[in-house]
Amino acid sequence: MSKYRKDFPCYEHYPNLAYLDSAASSQKVACVLEAMTKTYTERYANVHRGIYHLSDIATGDFEAARVTVGKYFNANPDQIIFVRGATEAINLVATSFTQEFLQEGDEVIISRMEHHANIVPWYRLCHEKKAKLVVIECDAKGVLDMDAYRNAFNPKTKMVALTHISNVLGTINPAKEMIAIAKSHQVPILIDGAQAAAHIPVDISDLDPDFYTASAHKMYGPTGVGFLYVKKEHLKGMSPYQSGGNMIASVSFDDITYLEGPMRFEAGTPHIAGSIGFARACEYMMDVGMSYIQSHEQALLMYLQEQIETVDGLEVFGQAPNKIGIVSFAMKGVHPHDIASILDEDEVAVRAGHHCAMPLVKSMNQPALTRISLGLNNNERDIDQCIKSLKKVREIFSA
Amino acid sequence: MSKYRKDFPCYEHYPNLAYLDSAASSQKVACVLEAMTKTYTERYANVHRGIYHLSDIATGDFEAARVTVGKYFNANPDQIIFVRGATEAINLVATSFTQEFLQEGDEVIISRMEHHANIVPWYRLCHEKKAKLVVIECDAKGVLDMDAYRNAFNPKTKMVALTHISNVLGTINPAKEMIAIAKSHQVPILIDGAQAAAHIPVDISDLDPDFYTASAHKMYGPTGVGFLYVKKEHLKGMSPYQSGGNMIASVSFDDITYLEGPMRFEAGTPHIAGSIGFARACEYMMDVGMSYIQSHEQALLMYLQEQIETVDGLEVFGQAPNKIGIVSFAMKGVHPHDIASILDEDEVAVRAGHHCAMPLVKSMNQPALTRISLGLNNNERDIDQCIKSLKKVREIFSA
Amino acid sequence: MHDLYQELIIDHGTHPRRFGPLPEHTHHERGHNPLCGDDLTLYLKVEDGVIEKVRFEGSGCAISMASASLMAERLEGLSVDEAKKLFEKVHSLLSGTPVEGLGKIEALSGVCKYPMRVKCATLSWHALMGALEQSSEATEK
Amino acid sequence: MHDLYQELIIDHGTHPRRFGPLPEHTHHERGHNPLCGDDLTLYLKVEDGVIEKVRFEGSGCAISMASASLMAERLEGLSVDEAKKLFEKVHSLLSGTPVEGLGKIEALSGVCKYPMRVKCATLSWHALMGALEQSSEATEK
Ligand SMILES: Cc1ncc(COP(=O)(O)O)c(C=O)c1O
Ligand SMILES: Cc1ncc(COP(=O)(O)O)c(C=O)c1O
């Protein structure tokens, strides 16, 4: 049930840790850290344009990382841009793509269940352009209103940005359908895969979105890196985002020409070690197998949903039939911060707050929620420990 | 002479490596890698807003890193923004600061010796705003024309962006004087410290620029992280750069308020481990002592300059009286790429090309240059090995 | 015994004293932490430099509610100067310096070990200082 | 012996053959690698499907110059089809596949071990293909 737990060195230091906050950021697997240390000690130099051996192998490793990440998501590496994370990727699209054509009165579709990363850049852009942010609601179970989505399109609709999986509700949205609908209206669509990438198979070639993004740190990988997939037809037309070295073909004070392809959007020295670590995390998950990961996490989710019923006074938000191992809840009369603090005393790590999804949490009339989120590293004992501690919270607060 | 060489694990794998490309990116010290591995294995969780222990210590380490970086540069941590590197920092300033007030006909001062990172963002901004890019030239020795700089100011001058040290010439520019002059005209100034930060003491409080930046990967630190210092009076007024989680105070679909301080400019999950590694690199250099670093590198530079005279047909570019350990040269009749390839066979790693400074290299009427750059890790043997190999190049090409 | 959630904290956190509006207030101030959602409004009736009556309204975690409740109880009858001195003492307590003579408020001392929670405990106290820095609302009008 | 810089390469790299303009050319094409600065222009005089004369001008590293020089020497007298086949063979050689019957051009075989230098060696060959893909300049006018 937990044969991969040993790959996570955090448990050597905290054998009793019940880490239930993978949705915020996952713990790391040893092979990722080894790959990065190896890069830094044996295979390091700046990439691109260096003629000597170390620069050559660093460049090779860096570009091989792009291939591996592409393979994990079944996408052409020539369409994989390394970025800091999902947040940067969405900003990049809003700035270098949508900003170029969005006009006053146009509309951008997002949903109620977006993370701030997929709200604020669009909000700012719409504000600047006097365009309208159209918000698709979800029902009480946390299922996106697909009819509302379908009906939201009109000739003013110029961009769609939707999450693949909600970081609060766990809902797996019907990405393929969402993309097909946008496509039928010739509206480009970005899918925020930050919560999907480590938990369900993501086949970009099959989904065929215009943009897709995820962050490595939620995929058992390093901080400071993620990717943006861009459909080929947009890659050429998009204006550069940040600019500087590494992304130009030639510079004079009167004329500058930019590179084509992913490097056009990778100004400056990239996060070389991070990209290599990211690829190693992808490889690790491919070795484990996405079907194992899914069934492991689904089994734990079933167990968690069953067990959590035994705690009095809990209300769970997010009951979509199709969801990943994320369970957010409110406990009557107890503030989530108090829950998280008490759980912490029992080495149970859960997150409490608005989860960077204020519009969603507010719509539930909650000041904040407590969230349990699962990953490959978890086992049933983690859940038992959490449930036991939740019962303790009940006790303390009903004294 | 090389007592710190043992701190660089690359030499365990390549005992005969003469790594002379620190200006592109430095090799790493072991303690930096250890600090990051420790973060990832024992002290990892997402930062900010997590209530449990691991998140608490990760947040503490991350904020302590800001303090350490501030200490290294003698700047208030509340004015230190973590970014991907110097390139991102300059883009941030061009976008969130200068763009807000630059008007048609205004002027931005840069210099001939800037890295593309400090050219392209200003070029693009000026292009967009129909403003003028004013370029200060340097003389044959590679010394900035300070008279031209002084005379370049007029009421249209709205921004200055100059490098502290040239990555091709090694010239240490008189930053304090440059800043004072800009200040006397009430024009904000950004100093690109990418090449300065690991080689000379940088006292930001004393220099008092409006903006200062450097990248960790050139400071024996990790990839994917750097910092931007922002003067307090600008920090408040500056509009956010990227947006998403971590930088907002509240979000609804009708209104968004942003945090104040550095976090306002750190959207999304930051490069947590990288920032901690960056701080460890700063600590390492503080332990070694900047005066040791400087005298070590100056002694090697003297030796290199002396030895390189013994190679026939070399022309060295950059003879400023005040310079760091960077020596760029052309060899008559031999293309730099051929030089670098032959040196590589002897495990001598030097860079050949335009060094992301095309306007400078072109002004020297060279298609490219070969560059030797020194760091704390180097010793005289590295230089001997390089000189011997350069003589071999001469031989091969005069056969 | 739980460091953070002593009985007194739970009691005041779940049944805050002096909770409610105070129409006859002379000073009031909102304390709001958008990041964690704690949100309260403090009302003071100050007469001749003495805090005669204290009430507060709002919602938040047990720590913030308990801190506000204990503060409200303690403030009534104190002079404005005494209240300011009390703020300093509580500030020290929550920063980890042992302070004596705070009575029930000492139940908050465990909070200093939880940096993420300190701001919950200080919210009402900062609202107090904000309120006292204003001139009385009557004079304002 | 140095893998990359064999005598033949140094010789052709520093004293390129068929170097210079060709006013009577029927095809020409520029090969330019902005990243490393190698820049050459290739001129061909093609008549009745046969490459009669080849010249090139430009500057670059020894590898790119030698490759262009060896190519230019070899091309004269070949038919356009033969030239295209030659390109395929050289492409294989530079990708690391051993190829026979290339004569002097085989001196370039060491390049394949240096990925960063392969594009120097292929520059003139890509220019050749570019030139041949055009219809002759006379017909264009
Ligand atoms: C759904 C979703 N989108 C975007 C993000 C932002 O990711 P990052 O902070 O790595 O940029 C997150 C992570 O919190 C998320 O859960
Ligand atoms: C002077 C100078 N400025 C800016 C940069 C850009 O730094 P980075 O690539 O780390 O963003 C460099 C590094 O190449 C540099 O030498």
Side-chain angles (χ1 to χ4, degrees), chain A residues 333 335 337-342 344-345 353-354 358 367-368 392 396-399, chain C residues 2-5 7 10 14 34-38 59-63 114 117 120:
Chain A
H335 193 281
H337 289 164
D338 296 318
I339 298 175
S341 277
I342 294 172
D344 181 43
E345 297 274 308
H354 53 63
M358 280 193 186
K392 190 166 115 187
I396 291 177
F397 272 82
S398 52
Chain C
H2 205 287
D3 256 10
L4 205 51
Y5 294 94
E7 259 169 57
I10 300 289
T14 52
L35 288 182
C36 71
D38 290 346
S59 69
C61 64
I63 305 292
Y114 303 85
R117 308 304 304 278
C120 308

Side-chain angles (χ1 to χ4, degrees), chain A residues 85-87 115 117 163 165 167 192 194-195 215 217-218, chain B residues 268-269:
Chain A
T87 301
H115 185 278
T163 196
I165 294 183
N167 68 316
D192 172 1
Q195 292 296 338
S215 301
H217 72 92
K218 294 185 204 277
Chain B
T269 302

